[in-house]
Amino acid sequence: MSEQPQTSRRGSPLPWVLSRILGWSPVTLLTGCSATHITFLDPQGPIAQAQRQHFWFVVAMTMIVVLPVIIQTPWILWRYRYGGKAPYRPHWDMSRWLDVMMWGVPVIVVAILAVVLWQQTHRLDPYRPLDSDKAPLQVQVVGFDWKWLFIYPEQGIATMGQLVLPADRPISFQLTSATVLQTFFIPALGGQIDAMNRMVTKLHLQANHTGRFAGKNMQYNGGGFHHQRFTVRVVDDRQFDDFIAHAHRQGQPLDRQRYEEVLVQQGDTADAARALGLTSYQRGEPIRFAPIPRDLFRGIVDDAPFESAVHNPAPHQQAAMHPVAYQALPPKQQTPPKPTLPQDKETSQ
Amino acid sequence: MTRTAMRHPGLNLGPAHADAEDTREEMIFGFWVFMMSDFVIFGLLFATYVVMLGGTAGGPGPHELFEMKSVFIETLILLTSSFTFGMASLALKYREDTKPLVIWLIVTLLLGVAFIAYELKDFHTMFGKGGVPSRSGFISAFFSLVPLHGLHVLAACIWLIALLGQIAVHGLDSFVKTGLLRLAILWHFLDIVWICIFSLVYLGGLT
Amino acid sequence: MSRRALSKKRELSDEEAKELVAERRGYVWGLLAALVLTLIPFGLVAYAEIEPLTLYGSIAACAIVQIVVHFRFFLHITLARNKREDLQLILFTLLILTIMGGGTLWILFNLYYRMMPGMIP
Amino acid sequence: MSGDLPDFIFGKLDWDTLPFWDALKDPTTFKIINAVISGGAGALVVLGALGVVILVTWLGKWKYLWSEWLTSPDHKKIGIMFIVIAIVMLARAVIEAVFMRAQQAVGLDGGFLSPEHFGEFFTTHGTIMIFFMAMPFLTGIINYVMPLQIGARDLSFPVMNQISLGLTAAGAAIVMISLVFTPFSTGGWSGYPPYTERAYNPGPGVDYWIWAVTLSTLSSTLTGINFAVTIYKKRAPGMKLFRMPLFTWTALTTAILMIFGMPPLTVATALLALDRYLDFHMFTSDLGGNMMNYVNLFWAFGHPEVYILILPPFGIFSEIFSTFSGKRIFGYPVLVVATICISILSFIVWLHHFFTMGQDAAVNAAFGIATMLIGIPTGVKVYDWMLTMYRGRVRLSVPMIYAIGFIMLFVLGGLTGIILATPSVDYQVHNSLFLIAHFHNMLIPGLLFGMLSATNFWFPKALGFRLEERWGRRAAYSWIVGFMLAFFPLYVLGVLGMPRRSLTFFEPAYLPWTLIAGFGALVILFAMLCLLIQLWVSIRDRHQNMMTAGDPWDGRSLEWSTSSPPPEYNFPVIPEVHSRDAYMSEKEQGKAHQVPDEFPDIVMPANSAMGVIIAVTGSAMAFGLTWYIWWLVILAGVVTLVAVIARGFVRKTTRVISSDEVRRTHLAWLECVRKTTPVDRSKEQSPENQGLPVPPVNGAVQ
Ligand code: HEA
Ligand code: HEA
Ligand code: CUA
Ligand SMILES: [Cu+2]
């Protein structure tokens, strides 16, 4: 594979770096309170909020057992230094009472942590739908080398580079990968989950506010890995409808051919935009697709040919409604599948 | 069983073979530990095999590929070889002359070779039915587990031949004895692995 | 041991002679038991009309008993002994295998259930 | 190159596997920078190898090298050779680490490394550090020290020990060769498929990785068996299990972890190899393959592995805390039990490395809780070490400084481990730099400080002179500071969501932290410089710091009771043990340095070339497999088989050292000890310390 032209920004970064540093106070550094929310320490949704709380709780609990070590070690060192006056008991090597303490306290700490861990793990299970009176928005996510495709099955559109979500409404993600393992992650909203070829994982998130959040892949998958980022734009309901309408109006049709010639090729979102002829594309902006094949997601998962470009949103018929990702797998195709990969790898070497 | 104190796993030769008892104890214990490590490898491959049972990808499954008759014959061959190796061990322990020992060993070797030959033939039939590892995850899992046992048998046979050679050159000295005791452990151990294979892979698959 | 010594039989003491008989009997019993324990599951799978779950159960039971038989009669691992290192080793191995094997099955079938039900056989 | 014959001879090898080829064909500044880096590395390997050959020839030392080292079955020499391999490999991995830190320091929107290069850097750095630095280093130290501690003459299987060394050397050689015939894998040290499958990575990189790791795994399995059997069967009379020094205990548990923890990796890499070479479908994404299987197998090895890495340092620090506090270890039985708990628990937590793969909350929670349980015995150990210093008389020598740095930093790494063990929080920090910070926080203060501390501690035993103290202290303090500067910022970056293995980032908020971390790496580099100076100064002044009497630190276990360096057979007469801290109690009773009643003939293993043969065939086979050079593979296989069989025919496997010689050597040493002036501990770090402490009074170290 050839080099990534985008990464080769050369020239002196120094003056620019200094100007950046001077603008930051430690607090903003820690919370990353920039235009884009980048961390769960600055949570924008219920899941991330609970995770932040749990994080500090674990830190505090472990401090009970860790602080004594950090404080007392220097003290012991000083008091019992060679040549000091403190009592010296070279044969003293056990004490019932201390034994009880040093097993007991950690056991209690771990017991408390374990109880909370059990509850929180269940409560924050990514597969668990969120409680809400609004029906969740279905989003299907497909990971490619090195970009994400977001399919809105109920709306019959798809985007790349930007994920647009309505505020205050639960989102129900289904994820898969058209290539190697990758991990879908929007820190300010909640945890990450793996996306794997031929498999479907699920994730439930919700945003409390409108705003822009960072999203990314966390699992290394090759040279363009660091470019596999996207912006999450959370908007109110009206804007969301506008977005959908806009996509239907302006979207590029997505069919088998485009899928294979653009999406499946290695390259990041900007490369895809270039291949689609979107010359003025800016990173973080959406590439819109509409109409899209109805069984696009499922076709990708099964690596089965999907019907081309029928613009026909079929709400609530998606397999997402089933308790198990989807049950009725068609028999696996008999022929070995075409490699879904750019074959140019070998030849370009 | 034996009244002589056991000093190591497997057959103990007892005081009549006191030459190098101590090193033997270490050697055999060490080999035993190695076997256990090997056992873990097999255990994990078994687990993997079970996990891959669903990965037939529309290709042939156990019912299409496995044949009970040949497995049964293979089982009998291997079991008998374990017994003949036991007889060899007894000859080693109680007889001074090498002749019965060598005869039993050769019988064992022939059985081992027969087992391998039969297994190869079996694989050949499987290939004929489209059961090649590149066909599906399930068949891959099969071929990463069962032939590994076969390879072990092959290694054991080579070792046996080497030991026969050592007997020819050096006679029945303490090196050969230790070698035979270790090989015995390997041989019986392979039988145990085979029990797992025929029960889980073949019989389980054919049920 | 000189080469000449190899050509003659060893004189066995009474005790040794008894031991030889006992040990040989051990191997024969082992072989017989193993044969029976092989025949049962093969027979069941080939001829018996029982439901799969019972069948799996009996295959497993026979296999486990046969493994114990092999350990006992061929590998001479017994309970009554002053030195137990090898038995401990086997048990420890079994523990590790149970943990790793069992854990693997638990984890992967759970994953299958949640994301690729097609892999559950 | 074309045609059948060259293909047959060279397999897939070709001109453009040379590191600078690409840049020659199509030079751009960016490519040239990267070609200079990789070409330089390749050249360094070639020149380094050539340099060694020329040097040895020039010194006329081939024969000496061959008969005294390469074919020596002596556990002490093998131990030292393991450590030499570790240090050579460390040098490479460190340079890579510094490059990665430099790249990330300037990595906002760019940087100077190409993506492939960066991928190879973190992969080789991780692989080398774990398999070719940490494992050989601790194997070497255990090899050297453990038999001395239990009063044995050698390991149970000296030739197998040579073979282990040979396998590790072969693996290390393969990793080094990959710098000349590039590229190496970019799949990380964990090599997850399907990324590492042939469909996505058809080149030789992953194959290099597979075979290097496989060789190392085989080596470790054999080593584990060797150590375990030695400790079970070769203890001196009276050395009951509960009288063994704690380092030996951790060596035993580590050995057991090696025996049972390595097989999953063997299986995982073997299956991956089958996928790549024979078109199997174990982990592919099509035809029923399943990559989750690999992840599961890899971590079933991976987690025990990190305890293989940390347990020996625990043992080392136990020895150091009690020696330098002039006091018995606090809570010996508790420490033993805690060690055993840790090693068993380490088998039941592996899932915590893939909490995010999508399994049930119950599964995640169960493994999360199991993980946290490990904190309990670990904590107990930490408290025991503190209580060992408590009411003691603590001397702050170099090994002790590392130990203090360890104890205070390790608990922080443990804390972040507990955070990672909490699934709902791990969903946020998994695969971020927080994780990187966690494990470097365990590996550097834990493992690396342990190794450095052990080196300072046992160096005088092995080489006969002490390491210089002043530079040693400077190194230790810069290590501690450098570590904190280099890795604490990564915690912040991690919670700010920066993924690991990122070449470049685009959040300006990250920049200050990557800069601090980069600066920290420089401080570490300075620490390394101090280490080198320490070594240089020590060698220069070695005559001042001679330790012939053998006991520079007022040691407590048997290794201090023989001369420095010890004779080949370790002990002229196998010592009899009556209590814990065997040597210390001899000293307390005034029984040290007694003349034995009689000297026996000593039977030692004879030299053997097995190790060398395996090293050569192992690397040849791995190289052939990587480049599809089948004749080489077959040749190497046949040679190995023939060598192993031929070895079975060898009867002269031992060598006898006559009792006269033993007597002469031992009496001469005792004479030398008698002439040495004993010193008390205030002079421990001065040249007056010739390795003979004044005897303890009422058990109190003076
Ligand atoms: C020497 C190496 C070493 C050691 C010792 C540890 C020790 C621990 N590790 Fe670490 N770990 C690694 C090396 C190590 N780790 C590596 C290399 C990886 C990543 C691999 C990769 O992905 O590439 C990793 C990854 C890793 C993960 C996976 C995270 C992820 O991928 O998202 C987790 C999660 O649970 C974890 C947890 C722990 C825990 C709980 C301990 C515990 O053992 C810590 C115990 C210690 C203490 C807790 C401190 C002392 C105790 C007290 C002072 C008192 C008592 C405390 C309590 C009661 C809480 N580690
Ligand atoms: C033992 C293990 C070990 C050690 C010691 C280190 C040491 C260091 N590591 Fe490493 N690291 C790993 C194991 C280790 N690492 C692993 C497993 C990975 C994951 C790979 C992957 O992603 O797959 C990783 C990844 C990793 C990354 C990639 C992060 C990413 O994914 O984005 C980085 C980046 O900077 C890094 C940096 C460093 C640095 C600066 C050091 C420095 O501390 C190094 C400095 C070390 C020295 C300077 C040694 C000096 C000592 C001597 C010279 C001894 C002399 C001896 C005697 C005198 C006896 N490490
Ligand atoms: Cu991995 Cu489902
Ligand atoms: Cu772990």
Side-chain angles (χ1 to χ4, degrees):
Chain A
M1 197 190 41
S2 64
E3 67 175 286
Q4 290 306 115
Q6 302 80 9
T7 60
S8 47
R9 202 190 79 103
R10 262 154 283 130
S12 164
L14 205 63
W16 183 81
V17 164
L18 284 177
S19 73
R20 286 295 183 138
I21 296 180
L22 292 177
W24 296 96
S25 77
V27 181
T28 51
L29 286 178
L30 249 176
T31 55
C33 225
S34 53
T36 319
H37 301 281
I38 58 172
T39 160
F40 74 113
L41 295 184
D42 164 32
Q44 304 297 317
I47 303 278
Q49 202 155 10
Q51 284 170 323
R52 179 179 70 165
Q53 207 181 352
H54 198 175
F55 175 79
W56 290 119
F57 174 75
V58 178
V59 172
M61 286 302 292
T62 38
M63 278 302 168
I64 300 176
V65 281
V66 166
L67 274 185
V69 179
I70 293 179
I71 294 169
Q72 286 175 7
T73 306
W75 176 76
I76 293 177
L77 269 184
W78 174 248
R79 184 165 153 76
Y80 295 100
R81 68 192 181 279
Y82 185 81
K85 295 275 175 299
Y88 176 31
R89 306 262 308 274
H91 284 282
W92 181 72
D93 67 356
M94 70 167 285
S95 148
R96 277 269 160 279
W97 185 79
L98 284 171
D99 269 355
V100 172
M101 280 288 287
M102 70 195 177
W103 286 96
V105 176
V107 166
I108 294 172
V109 169
V110 167
I112 296 172
L113 284 173
V115 172
V116 179
L117 183 153
W118 183 270
Q119 289 168 348
Q120 288 294 85
T121 307
H122 280 84
R123 202 161 74 79
L124 302 179
D125 179 8
Y127 273 45
R128 217 181 74 122
L130 301 176
D131 302 325
S132 168
D133 38 7
K134 294 190 197 158
L137 172 75
Q138 304 291 331
V139 179
Q140 292 164 333
V141 180
V142 185
F144 293 91
D145 278 339
W146 302 296
K147 52 203 167 281
W148 297 97
L149 177 71
F150 307 107
I151 305 170
Y152 297 75
E154 289 157 356
Q155 287 74 20
I157 64 155
T159 64
M160 257 167 72
Q162 190 181 83
L163 170 63
V164 182
L165 299 175
D168 260 337
R169 178 173 165 196
I171 319 292
S172 171
F173 293 98
Q174 277 185 299
L175 305 99
T176 191
S177 160
T179 163
V180 300
L181 168 67
Q182 22 205 301
T183 306
F184 176 83
F185 189 28
I186 308 172
L189 294 188
Q192 52 191 299
I193 189 91
D194 289 1
M196 291 161 284
N197 201 322
R198 304 301 163 82
M199 308 176 211
V200 180
T201 39
K202 295 196 215 169
L203 176 66
H204 293 87
L205 296 176
Q206 180 173 336
N208 289 344
H209 311 281
T210 59
R212 275 172 179 265
F213 314 139
K216 63 191 80 177
N217 167 20
M218 292 293 272
Q219 175 70 47
Y220 186 78
N221 59 345
F225 163 67
H226 52 286
H227 275 298
Q228 197 173 354
R229 300 166 310 122
F230 55 94
T231 306
V232 184
R233 189 160 60 92
V234 174
V235 296
D236 61 26
D237 285 350
R238 199 179 46 75
Q239 285 170 312
F240 186 70
D241 293 340
D242 287 351
F243 155 73
I244 300 292
H246 189 77
H248 276 297
R249 250 187 315 23
Q250 298 213 326
Q252 311 233 355
L254 182 61
D255 53 19
R256 183 87 209 171
Q257 195 190 359
R258 274 236 158 93
Y259 176 79
E260 266 164 17
E261 282 170 6
V262 178
L263 297 195
V264 162
Q265 299 305 317
Q266 282 191 330
D268 59 19
T269 314
D271 294 332
R274 209 169 304 127
L276 289 168
L278 304 174
T279 40
S280 59
Y281 177 76
Q282 295 268 310
R283 279 182 194 281
E285 291 308 306
I287 300 175
R288 303 179 182 79
F289 292 107
I292 58 169
R294 194 199 313 153
D295 49 359
L296 177 58
F297 186 73
R298 193 174 173 140
I300 295 173
V301 173
D302 295 343
D303 196 21
F306 36 78
E307 265 172 58
S308 272
V310 188
H311 176 211
N312 185 4
H316 309 302
Q317 280 188 357
Q318 297 298 320
M321 296 285 114
H322 291 277
V324 167
Y326 50 67
Q327 255 120 7
L329 280 173
K332 289 260 162 80
Q333 73 292 346
Q334 299 289 321
T335 51
K338 284 193 258 53
T340 41
L341 254 137
Q343 292 80 3
D344 59 49
K345 269 198 133 175
E346 233 159 346
T347 47
S348 80
Q349 267 180 355
Chain B
M1 169 119 327
T2 40
R3 268 146 294 248
T4 37
M6 295 285 272
R7 305 183 49 135
H8 53 70
L11 190 79
N12 278 244
L13 291 183
H17 302 259
D19 47 337
E21 265 296 77
D22 285 332
T23 50
R24 187 137 70 221
E25 182 179 339
E26 255 172 82
M27 282 286 218
I28 291 177
F29 185 66
F31 191 70
W32 192 241
V33 177
F34 169 71
M35 284 284 67
M36 290 298 117
S37 185
D38 212 28
F39 204 38
V40 175
I41 291 191
F42 275 110
L44 289 164
L45 284 172
F46 275 112
T48 310
Y49 176 80
V50 172
V51 164
M52 295 295 282
L53 276 176
T56 48
H63 282 281
E64 290 88 76
L65 294 175
F66 300 158
E67 271 172 32
M68 187 116 111
K69 198 176 115 234
S70 54
V71 184
F72 186 65
I73 294 172
E74 281 159 34
T75 310
L76 288 188
I77 294 178
L78 209 56
L79 186 57
T80 318
S81 79
S82 234
F83 179 76
T84 54
F85 208 119
M87 292 300 106
S89 305
L90 289 185
L92 170 67
K93 183 168 176 182
Y94 293 106
R95 305 279 298 240
E96 204 102 322
D97 50 348
T98 42
K99 209 168 128 201
L101 171 67
V102 168
I103 291 176
W104 279 120
L105 286 180
I106 289 178
V107 172
T108 311
L109 176 65
L110 291 179
L111 287 169
V113 172
F115 172 84
I116 296 171
Y118 223 92
E119 194 168 42
L120 284 179
K121 180 181 145 281
D122 223 24
F123 293 158
H124 186 75
T125 346
M126 276 180 73
F127 277 20
K129 294 182 203 162
V132 286
S134 54
R135 177 62 192 85
S136 76
F138 159 72
I139 302 173
S140 297
F142 174 87
F143 277 103
S144 62
L145 171 61
V146 180
L148 183 67
H149 173 268
L151 277 178
H152 274 72
V153 178
L154 181 65
C157 287
I158 295 176
W159 191 2
L160 187 47
I161 296 172
L163 280 174
L164 285 172
Q166 287 186 33
I167 293 178
V169 177
H170 296 288
L172 205 53
D173 62 1
S174 77
F175 288 85
V176 174
K177 287 182 193 168
T178 328
L180 282 173
L181 292 182
R182 280 182 293 167
L183 180 56
I185 292 179
L186 174 63
W187 206 279
H188 297 310
F189 167 83
L190 288 179
D191 221 4
I192 292 176
V193 173
W194 183 255
I195 297 173
C196 302
I197 290 183
F198 83 69
S199 304
L200 194 138
V201 175
Y202 288 105
L203 293 183
L206 289 171
T207 301
Chain C
M1 192 178 289
S2 77
R3 264 205 199 222
R4 203 175 37 79
L6 290 174
S7 57
K8 66 171 198 292
K9 285 188 192 170
R10 203 170 79 213
E11 289 300 321
L12 296 183
S13 67
D14 277 359
E15 192 164 343
E16 274 181 316
K18 252 190 257 157
E19 233 177 71
L20 169 61
V21 174
E23 286 197 5
R24 190 181 290 141
R25 202 185 298 132
Y27 277 105
V28 175
W29 275 119
L31 178 65
L32 289 180
L35 268 180
V36 172
L37 288 164
T38 307
L39 282 173
I40 295 176
F42 272 99
L44 286 180
V45 174
Y47 303 113
E49 295 282 325
I50 35 180
E51 50 139 344
L53 226 55
T54 336
L55 197 49
Y56 283 130
S58 8
I59 295 175
C62 287
I64 290 168
V65 178
Q66 196 179 347
I67 289 172
V68 174
V69 165
H70 279 243
F71 271 126
R72 170 74 177 69
F73 291 102
F74 294 162
L75 281 163
H76 311 283
I77 306 292
T78 58
L79 296 174
R81 197 151 47 307
N82 39 0
K83 281 206 178 183
R84 288 268 182 85
E85 274 147 15
D86 39 337
L87 185 63
Q88 285 166 2
L89 191 67
I90 295 175
L91 293 180
F92 186 75
T93 312
L94 278 184
L95 173 74
I96 298 295
L97 268 179
T98 322
I99 293 172
M100 285 188 185
T104 299
L105 297 185
W106 185 34
I107 294 167
L108 276 145
F109 281 111
N110 187 279
L111 284 161
Y112 287 163
Y113 176 73
R114 303 243 293 186
M115 62 182 81
M116 45 186 328
M119 281 290 277
I120 299 178
Chain D
M1 269 185 272
S2 61
D4 285 346
L5 192 64
D7 273 359
F8 173 76
I9 297 176
F10 296 110
K12 291 209 266 177
L13 268 181
D14 212 337
W15 286 112
D16 55 10
T17 61
L18 294 175
F20 44 81
W21 204 252
D22 192 32
L24 279 188
K25 277 192 306 200
D26 171 26
T28 62
T29 342
F30 185 70
K31 275 196 178 170
I32 288 173
I33 293 176
N34 281 279
V36 166
I37 295 171
S38 54
L44 220 59
V45 172
V46 175
L47 291 180
L50 268 179
V52 172
V53 171
I54 292 171
L55 190 72
V56 176
T57 315
W58 186 60
L59 294 174
K61 290 279 188 192
W62 279 113
K63 190 146 179 288
Y64 167 79
L65 197 64
W66 177 259
S67 57
E68 291 299 312
W69 289 90
L70 297 180
T71 61
S72 164
D74 183 347
H75 70 97
K76 298 184 285 300
K77 288 182 176 161
I78 293 182
I80 291 174
M81 285 187 277
F82 263 116
I83 294 174
V84 168
I85 294 182
I87 291 178
V88 171
M89 299 308 283
L90 182 89
R92 169 165 172 204
V94 166
I95 295 171
E96 288 167 336
V98 172
F99 268 112
M100 285 191 291
R101 286 265 53 90
Q103 160 68 25
Q104 287 190 343
V106 299
L108 184 61
D109 292 335
F112 59 93
L113 286 180
S114 71
E116 294 83 72
H117 227 120
F118 187 73
E120 286 172 52
F121 272 162
F122 65 69
T123 307
T124 40
H125 167 79
T127 307
I128 290 179
M129 281 296 194
I130 302 282
F131 294 104
F132 298 107
M133 191 288 281
M135 297 295 277
F137 214 136
L138 60 88
T139 306
I141 288 178
I142 297 176
N143 234 313
Y144 197 97
V145 176
M146 182 269 287
L148 284 165
Q149 281 198 334
I150 61 172
R153 295 229 150 93
D154 208 323
L155 292 182
S156 285
F157 310 115
V159 176
M160 193 162 96
N161 202 13
Q162 294 182 309
I163 294 178
S164 296
L165 177 68
L167 290 168
T168 294
I174 279 299
V175 180
M176 288 317 237
I177 288 175
S178 79
L179 283 177
V180 183
F181 302 105
T182 56
F184 201 75
S185 165
T186 54
W189 83 286
S190 43
Y192 278 11
Y195 181 71
T196 48
E197 286 287 358
R198 202 173 43 183
Y200 299 89
N201 262 305
V206 182
D207 299 326
Y208 266 132
W209 178 81
I210 290 178
W211 301 120
V213 166
T214 304
L215 286 167
S216 157
T217 322
L218 292 178
S219 162
S220 298
T221 313
L222 297 184
T223 299
I225 295 170
N226 217 339
F227 287 166
V229 175
T230 307
I231 296 175
Y232 261 110
K233 299 284 181 188
K234 268 212 163 359
R235 273 168 285 138
M239 174 74 77
K240 300 190 181 131
L241 280 178
F242 271 76
R243 283 183 188 162
M244 293 194 313
L246 276 162
F247 177 68
T248 300
W249 260 109
T250 54
L252 177 61
T253 47
T254 296
I256 292 175
L257 289 187
M258 285 181 181
I259 295 165
F260 294 103
M262 290 291 156
L265 182 63
T266 314
V267 172
T269 48
L271 295 181
L272 186 60
L274 287 176
D275 273 6
R276 291 180 61 88
Y277 284 85
L278 297 179
D279 203 15
F280 275 41
H281 287 273
M282 298 302 299
F283 311 128
T284 56
S285 36
D286 55 349
L287 290 176
N290 168 23
M291 51 71 65
M292 297 190 290
N293 234 322
Y294 177 93
V295 175
N296 177 65
L297 284 170
F298 183 85
W299 292 114
F301 143 80
H303 193 84
E305 168 69 18
V306 306
Y307 289 91
I308 293 176
L309 299 182
I310 202 64
L311 284 172
F314 281 176
I316 290 164
F317 288 127
S318 301
E319 306 283 318
I320 282 168
F321 277 119
S322 92
T323 304
F324 289 99
S325 306
K327 192 162 159 282
R328 279 195 195 162
I329 188 88
F330 185 91
Y332 174 92
V334 173
L335 279 169
V336 172
V337 170
T339 306
I340 296 173
C341 284
I342 292 177
S343 48
I344 292 185
L345 283 174
S346 72
F347 281 108
I348 62 172
V349 301
W350 75 91
L351 179 127
H352 67 214
H353 292 276
F354 49 99
F355 279 143
T356 60
M357 209 149 81
Q359 55 280 18
D360 224 67
V363 182
N364 273 351
F367 278 91
I369 292 171
T371 305
M372 292 202 303
L373 288 181
I374 298 189
I376 298 170
T378 315
V380 168
K381 296 192 91 154
V382 171
Y383 300 137
D384 274 338
W385 290 322
M386 288 168 66
L387 289 168
T388 302
M389 294 188 283
Y390 186 72
R391 297 184 172 166
R393 277 201 181 169
V394 185
R395 285 121 55 196
L396 212 56
S397 334
V398 177
M400 196 62 178
I401 299 175
Y402 282 115
I404 301 294
F406 155 74
I407 198 171
M408 295 183 56
L409 293 173
F410 185 83
V411 291
L412 291 175
L415 185 159
T416 56
I418 299 295
I419 292 173
L420 290 167
T422 311
S424 50
V425 179
D426 183 66
Y427 276 116
Q428 277 287 350
V429 283
H430 174 62
N431 272 352
S432 72
L433 286 185
F434 190 88
L435 169 65
I436 300 286
H438 155 71
F439 70 71
H440 283 91
N441 200 340
M442 299 316 240
L443 287 166
I444 293 177
L447 175 104
L448 209 72
F449 284 15
M451 296 299 119
L452 291 173
S453 172
T455 313
N456 279 279
F457 189 55
W458 279 304
F459 189 90
K461 177 53 49 187
L463 276 297
F465 55 95
R466 271 186 304 124
L467 283 172
E468 203 265 349
E469 286 271 336
R470 240 167 345 128
W471 282 102
R473 279 162 200 271
R474 281 172 204 161
Y477 288 123
S478 349
W479 257 114
I480 294 172
V481 173
F483 164 77
M484 295 201 288
L485 284 173
F487 289 97
F488 285 175
L490 302 196
Y491 281 124
V492 179
L493 286 169
V495 293
L496 292 182
M498 178 162 169
R500 73 191 289 193
R501 301 170 180 171
S502 318
L503 173 69
T504 302
F505 51 89
F506 306 90
E507 302 292 350
Y510 294 165
L511 190 63
W513 305 104
T514 59
L515 284 175
I516 299 174
F519 178 66
L522 288 183
V523 179
I524 291 182
L525 218 55
F526 174 72
M528 219 168 81
L529 197 68
C530 294
L531 280 177
L532 291 180
I533 298 175
Q534 182 197 22
L535 195 64
W536 164 248
V537 174
S538 314
I539 294 177
R540 196 190 57 198
D541 300 345
R542 63 186 175 283
H543 297 295
Q544 274 174 38
N545 293 328
M546 283 316 255
M547 279 302 125
T548 330
D551 184 14
W553 319 116
D554 207 357
R556 312 180 74 83
S557 40
L558 286 176
E559 75 267 30
W560 304 110
S561 71
T562 75
S563 62
S564 289
E568 182 189 358
Y569 41 85
N570 293 350
F571 303 96
V573 178
I574 295 290
E576 194 141 343
V577 177
H578 302 282
S579 65
R580 251 172 242 159
D581 283 351
Y583 185 49
M584 189 48 110
S585 58
E586 273 180 26
K587 286 192 275 190
E588 282 175 19
Q589 295 161 12
K591 288 188 191 155
H593 303 306
Q594 282 179 334
V595 186
D597 300 334
E598 54 183 317
F599 290 90
D601 282 344
I602 295 177
V603 182
M604 293 303 291
N607 280 22
S608 142
M610 269 318 265
V612 181
I613 296 174
I614 294 291
V616 172
T617 56
S619 44
M621 190 177 303
F623 189 75
L625 282 165
T626 303
W627 292 104
Y628 291 63
I629 309 175
W630 301 120
W631 62 265
L632 186 59
V633 177
I634 294 168
L635 182 68
V638 171
V639 173
T640 314
L641 190 68
V642 170
V644 170
I645 291 177
R647 169 78 199 167
F649 283 81
V650 174
R651 284 301 177 267
K652 202 178 147 8
T653 56
T654 53
R655 179 168 75 83
V656 178
I657 299 173
S658 74
S659 61
D660 281 348
E661 192 190 330
V662 177
R663 167 176 302 116
R664 206 163 356 95
T665 324
H666 192 61
L667 292 184
W669 177 63
L670 285 181
E671 182 59 25
C672 168
V673 171
R674 232 170 26 80
K675 285 200 205 122
T676 311
T677 346
V679 292
D680 68 18
R681 292 299 96 199
S682 61
K683 307 213 177 63
E684 186 165 57
Q685 290 151 31
S686 70
E688 280 158 74
N689 181 2
Q690 299 280 310
L692 190 67
V694 295
V697 178
N698 292 330
V701 171
Q702 294 305 298

